Amino acid sequence: MKDQFIVSGGARLEGTVVVDGAKNSVLKLMAAALLAEGTTTLTNCPQILDVPLMCKVLEGLGCEVEIDGSVVSITVPKKPQSNADFDAVRQFRASVCVLGPLTARCGHAKVALPGGDAIGSRPLDMHQSGLEKMGARTRIEHGAVVAEADGLHGASIKLDFPSVGATENILTAAVLADGETVLHNAAREPEIVDLCTMLKEMGANIEGEGSSTITIRGVEKLHPTEHKVIGDRIVAGTWAYAAVMTQGDITVGGIAPRHLHLPLEKLKSAGAEIEAYDNGFRVCMRKRPVAVDYQTLPFPGFPTDLQPMAIGLSAIADGTTIITENVFESRFRFVDEMLRLGADAQVDGHHVVIRGQERLSSTHVWSSDIRAGAGLVLSALCADEVTTVHDVFHIDRGYPNFVENLKRLGATIERTQEPELY
């Protein structure tokens, strides 16, 4: 049976929450462990559904994986399998990040085309093109992407768009390629920097991470390591928006504030008081927020993963907001659920215009992806009565202890099972 959240509106969230490791980093780090024989250990791992799913993918490739709370240990054999199991891979998008490591280690990779959130098309053409420039042959057949290489070599590669996934697969292939690879228009996200940090700890030769040009000089062999996953900036940003939406006061720990510079600046413009610390920040809101415009862009722009939270905030802000989505074309599916909550919003192409109102109206809403689900829960806290949020398994894929943290902050929320329908 599916779970649902029963959320009562009207709570002011107040207190402290510490974020775990980043979902968008840990899964890629787990895949990168394939590059070295032996046991790699990751600490500060989030306890979310996607981590055991990635464990299944790695086990299907011949690895031994152990999870002990926030610690994941991955023992990689001398010769991993190169066929990523369809049933495990199809459940989440990040599984495609095994493509680069398997091509580099095995000279062959067959990875089922992944599933994941319904936020728009995310083709693999840039992944394939990058590997092909390094000497691989790639194709799509029988629902899987296949890469084969007699040996990878360095290349100059320019991405059409700073794709995080393509940057990761090219990086993890290039570290074992013969010669120098220069990746232009690379993604600059903190999770890319975290991946490069771990690869360098394993013996890789990488320069320029965090910039749009990354230089990788291939080495013959990497070794296993122990690495601490960086804090989850999207979860931290969600709590920041929760504070402003509920006119609350939340201190968030376990995160570098610089990873959320623009979102926090947007909240400051909306009227929030922001205090930054070495490993966290505090967001305090004492009045109704003021409307602020947004446009999503790759880092260091406003993250598309926080767009649902921006829509939720705009729906109860004073004034009119225009939000432009530049990353995923289907992310405005979330707006349909906000309309159920009584939001005054109108979509026009990749823009949405939102006229704020003081209160939303409670109803039943359905999560379509991880961030949409979290955004709906925050919006339900701003509704007049009790809202039921369905399909919350999406939220569990990205937010550890979400209900428990909300309760500690003062929310009235319960996880229950959806009734059976006959």
Side-chain angles (χ1 to χ4, degrees), residues 82-86 89 95-96 98-104 106-114 124-133 135-150 152 169:
S82 60
N83 191 349
D85 174 69
F86 178 80
V89 168
S95 55
V96 76
V98 301
L99 180 64
L102 290 178
T103 305
C106 307
H108 176 271
K110 182 178 181 181
V111 183
L113 294 175
L124 300 181
D125 51 350
M126 285 188 286
H127 303 241
Q128 293 177 255
S129 175
L131 292 175
E132 288 171 359
K133 288 181 179 176
R137 302 173 298 279
T138 75
R139 62 187 183 276
I140 301 292
E141 65 176 21
H142 305 302
V145 56
V146 178
E148 298 171 327
D150 300 325
L152 296 176
N169 266 325

Side-chain angles (χ1 to χ4, degrees), residues 320-339:
T320 299
T321 299
I322 299 176
I323 296 179
T324 303
E325 173 59 48
N326 293 308
V327 181
F328 292 128
E329 72 275 10
S330 296
R331 195 136 227 172
F332 281 151
R333 290 181 58 181
F334 171 74
V335 176
D336 291 338
E337 299 306 307
M338 289 298 298
L339 294 177

Side-chain angles (χ1 to χ4, degrees), residues 36-301:
E37 179 186 357
T39 301
T40 288
T41 301
L42 301 174
T43 62
N44 195 38
C45 297
Q47 297 180 49
I48 56 175
L49 289 180
D50 277 10
V51 169
L53 285 175
M54 180 57 87
C55 289
K56 288 184 180 180
V57 173
L58 295 176
E59 287 169 348
L61 296 171
C63 302
E64 296 179 8
V65 188
E66 293 184 8
I67 302 178
D68 183 7
S70 63
V71 179
V72 176
S73 299
I74 304 161
T75 302
V76 181
K78 183 175 182 179
K79 184 71 172 178
Q81 299 295 315
S82 60
N83 191 349
D85 174 69
F86 178 80
D87 287 336
V89 168
R90 68 181 178 84
Q91 297 184 60
F92 65 119
R93 177 70 188 184
S95 55
V96 76
C97 61
V98 301
L99 180 64
L102 290 178
T103 305
R105 278 290 312 276
C106 307
H108 176 271
K110 182 178 181 181
V111 183
L113 294 175
D117 292 333
I119 55 177
S121 63
R122 295 188 277 188
L124 300 181
D125 51 350
M126 285 188 286
H127 303 241
Q128 293 177 255
S129 175
L131 292 175
E132 288 171 359
K133 288 181 179 176
M134 287 189 283
R137 302 173 298 279
T138 75
R139 62 187 183 276
I140 301 292
E141 65 176 21
H142 305 302
V145 56
V146 178
E148 298 171 327
D150 300 325
L152 296 176
H153 56 74
S156 178
I157 301 170
K158 183 175 182 180
L159 298 179
D160 295 333
F161 177 85
S163 161
V164 171
T167 298
E168 290 162 342
N169 266 325
I170 292 167
L171 268 171
T172 51
V175 291
L176 292 179
D178 181 19
E180 179 179 280
T181 297
V182 181
L183 180 56
H184 302 279
N185 201 26
R188 300 167 58 188
E189 275 72 3
E191 294 80 17
I192 295 291
V193 177
D194 197 28
L195 174 60
C196 289
T197 298
M198 177 173 140
L199 291 172
K200 290 164 78 168
E201 292 166 354
M202 297 171 73
N205 187 337
I206 302 172
E207 295 178 357
E209 62 271 26
S211 74
S212 58
T213 301
I214 303 177
T215 301
I216 310 105
R217 297 175 181 88
V219 297
E220 290 188 7
K221 188 177 181 180
L222 297 179
H223 55 77
T225 190
E226 180 173 327
H227 179 80
K228 181 179 179 181
V229 185
I230 60 169
D232 197 314
R233 63 191 172 101
I234 304 302
V235 173
T238 300
W239 295 124
Y241 272 77
V244 176
M245 291 174 68
T246 64
Q247 297 182 35
D249 188 346
I250 299 179
T251 298
V252 182
I255 184 70
R258 68 181 182 277
H259 293 167
L260 281 168
H261 175 74
L262 186 54
L264 292 178
E265 284 298 312
K266 290 290 186 181
L267 293 181
K268 190 180 294 185
S269 298
E273 301 171 18
I274 310 286
E275 294 180 42
Y277 311 119
D278 289 341
N279 194 38
F281 55 85
R282 176 189 175 196
V283 179
C284 181
M285 193 69 180
R286 307 180 191 276
K287 58 185 179 181
R288 184 183 175 193
V290 176
V292 179
D293 291 340
Y294 299 85
Q295 61 171 328
T296 66
L297 289 167
F299 189 85

